[in-house]
Amino acid sequence: MKKLNRIFLFCALLAAFWPAFAAPSFSGAIGGSAGIDLDIPLSDGSPDFNVPLAGLAAIQANLTEWCVARGEIAIDASDFEFNDIFGSAQSSIKLNELSVVLIRRAVTASSFFSAFLGSYEQVGSDAFLMRHFGIEPISSRLTKSPTNLTGVPILRTRGAGLSYIVNFDKAPVATGGYFYVGKNSADDWTLNLDARVSYAANLFTVDFLAGISSPLQDSYNNKDVVLMIDTICLHGGLNMLAGSKFTHSLLLQVGLKDLVVKGNGAGTTNGDELNILIEPRINFNKFRMNTSLFAYDPQSAKETTYLPNEMGAAFSFYKDDIEIKNGYMTLGVHLIGAIGGKSALDLINGGDLSGATYNAYITPFMEMPIGQTASFETMTQIGVRDLAGSQSIGFKVTASAKKTF
């Protein structure tokens, strides 16, 4: 009997610790985008011809049932020009994310403790909602990006730090906090503390983050100090969808960064740090229509596939249920009116649009699956740039592919 008890105890211990010794499983994605971007002046001037190139690679390693590691990098060569083919190719490699997550599951809730480097689950990119609730992306089609797996965020945060998230099993709620060191718009090192709460149901999804930051300084009155904090800034982001993919719905995204509330320049913020997207979505019997109002900082707009300028409006008409052999194909068109060289705060602070350029574009696009694990997307964008000034014709074509494994 003692021998049987020992065998039973050994089997129980082996079953309990087996996940820690099991072989890890891997998943990920790889993709790339290429095209041409041509600007032809209608008066004096030479044509401007660029070849935008971008790539993305992401991997997730499920090391055990309680430990997950993720990595994502992007390559951007959007400034490649043919004026000097050997000297003008400029590319950048960006670490989107490097993280390790420890998971503790209990009867009523699951806890996620993370150490991260780079851009981690930014608001508006859908990464947090997809990981914690398993839902389909809710972000706008306009904010797709070849250098970001889950879209361009509404609040851009980067740094190195820690996070703790609790996901409740009895309710579709996740909440927690982040503590990290990053950089602000002035390229100063900052200390950040954020709080987050998210909710995902059939007809309402919301992801909200708010935090404070302070530039780190090591001197005061020309004397060295260990640490001094004399400025406090606020930042926050909201990603909300009222409705669902199958109903009429409204997407609202707002991101604000570096609002000074204490210290020099209190009550002010950088004009590039307010991002807004308002998008009513209407489902007709035969097609869908999105009406979008957007205002982004220049860097965010540059990273998207479809947004040619920082601010404007768009009407999107598309059909996403065209059945083909491997799934469903999407065909559609974006009609975009955009303003370049201005931000949302320029409108709020008196509405001064002097120096802005006014542009109009038509952008047909197509998306289709390739096999079971790959997809292909292409678009053509034709427009008139600087309608009130030195007009030019813009022509842009991109093709991108992505494969998951």
Side-chain angles (χ1 to χ4, degrees):
M1 180 64 68
K2 290 183 178 180
K3 186 175 182 180
L4 289 176
N5 288 339
R6 290 173 182 174
I7 293 175
F8 177 79
L9 178 60
F10 174 78
C11 291
L13 292 173
L14 182 63
F17 289 96
W18 178 253
F21 302 99
S25 61
F26 296 90
S27 60
I30 187 169
S33 175
I36 60 173
D37 190 354
L38 179 63
D39 186 79
I40 305 173
L42 295 181
S43 55
D44 296 333
S46 301
D48 186 14
F49 182 46
N50 296 327
V51 179
L53 302 171
L56 177 73
I59 189 169
Q60 174 174 310
N62 299 308
L63 303 177
T64 67
E65 289 186 352
W66 47 267
C67 183
V68 176
R70 298 187 180 99
E72 181 180 325
I73 61 172
I75 301 174
D76 184 8
S78 58
D79 293 330
F80 188 93
E81 300 177 359
F82 274 101
N83 296 331
D84 179 2
I85 192 170
F86 295 105
S88 64
Q90 300 178 3
S91 63
S92 61
I93 298 178
K94 182 176 68 171
L95 175 65
N96 285 351
E97 177 184 345
L98 182 63
S99 64
V100 177
V101 185
L102 303 180
I103 306 170
R104 182 181 181 276
R105 304 191 185 277
V107 177
T108 59
S110 298
S111 300
F112 301 81
F113 179 81
S114 307
F116 61 87
L117 179 65
S119 303
Y120 185 62
E121 298 180 343
Q122 300 175 101
V123 176
S125 70
D126 290 327
F128 185 87
L129 295 173
M130 294 171 67
R131 291 173 181 177
H132 286 276
F133 301 109
I135 66 173
E136 293 186 1
I138 67 171
S139 57
S140 174
R141 290 180 172 272
L142 294 173
T143 58
K144 287 188 174 183
S145 172
T147 58
N148 194 309
L149 192 61
T150 54
V152 172
I154 199 71
L155 176 65
R156 301 167 59 87
T157 55
R158 290 183 62 84
L162 305 171
S163 75
Y164 179 73
I165 301 294
V166 178
N167 193 332
F168 296 94
D169 296 338
K170 301 298 182 180
V173 176
T175 186
Y178 302 79
F179 178 75
Y180 59 99
V181 175
K183 285 190 173 183
N184 60 15
S185 56
D187 206 33
D188 297 323
W189 288 103
T190 61
L191 191 65
N192 301 265
L193 183 63
D194 300 350
R196 188 172 201 160
V197 60
S198 299
Y199 173 84
N202 290 334
L203 295 177
F204 186 73
T205 301
V206 62
D207 182 21
F208 176 72
L209 180 143
I212 60 174
S213 66
S214 178
L216 299 176
Q217 302 182 44
D218 57 5
S219 64
Y220 179 72
N221 289 337
N222 297 322
K223 295 182 179 180
D224 293 337
V225 296
V226 176
L227 176 65
M228 188 190 75
I229 296 176
D230 66 349
T231 302
I232 299 295
C233 302
L234 295 181
H235 57 261
L238 172 69
N239 185 17
M240 184 193 77
L241 179 67
S244 74
K245 177 181 177 181
F246 306 101
T247 67
H248 303 319
S249 59
L250 173 65
L251 176 69
L252 174 62
Q253 295 183 330
V254 181
L256 175 64
K257 190 177 179 183
D258 293 344
L259 175 63
V260 182
V261 295
K262 183 179 180 181
N264 294 331
T268 63
T269 186
N270 188 324
D272 292 341
E273 300 298 336
L274 175 61
N275 295 331
I276 302 172
L277 175 69
I278 304 172
E279 187 174 270
R281 302 171 176 176
I282 301 176
N283 287 355
F284 295 98
N285 291 333
K286 300 295 184 180
F287 65 95
R288 304 175 189 272
M289 183 184 76
N290 300 344
T291 303
S292 310
L293 297 174
F294 61 89
Y296 280 86
D297 64 87
Q299 183 60 36
S300 294
K302 182 180 178 182
E303 291 181 4
T304 67
T305 300
Y306 293 104
L307 295 182
N309 299 107
E310 301 93 320
M311 188 165 55
F315 292 93
S316 303
F317 303 89
Y318 61 97
K319 186 174 177 61
D320 60 359
D321 57 357
I322 303 173
E323 190 170 0
I324 59 176
K325 181 179 179 180
N326 298 313
Y328 294 93
M329 180 174 67
T330 299
L331 289 177
V333 60
H334 300 301
L335 305 177
I336 304 173
I339 301 174
K342 292 295 178 178
S343 68
L345 286 181
D346 291 324
L347 295 181
I348 296 174
N349 298 327
D352 182 13
L353 294 178
S354 59
T357 61
Y358 300 89
N359 317 281
Y361 304 86
I362 180 170
T363 310
F365 65 92
M366 182 271 289
E367 305 168 15
M368 63 179 295
I370 303 175
Q372 300 298 319
T373 60
S375 61
F376 175 77
E377 182 174 351
T378 184
M379 73 91 169
T380 301
Q381 189 168 80
I382 304 173
V384 180
R385 298 171 178 171
D386 199 3
L387 290 168
S390 54
Q391 299 178 2
S392 63
I393 299 296
F395 180 75
K396 181 180 179 181
V397 177
T398 63
S400 60
K402 182 178 69 175
K403 179 176 176 58
T404 59
F405 57 87

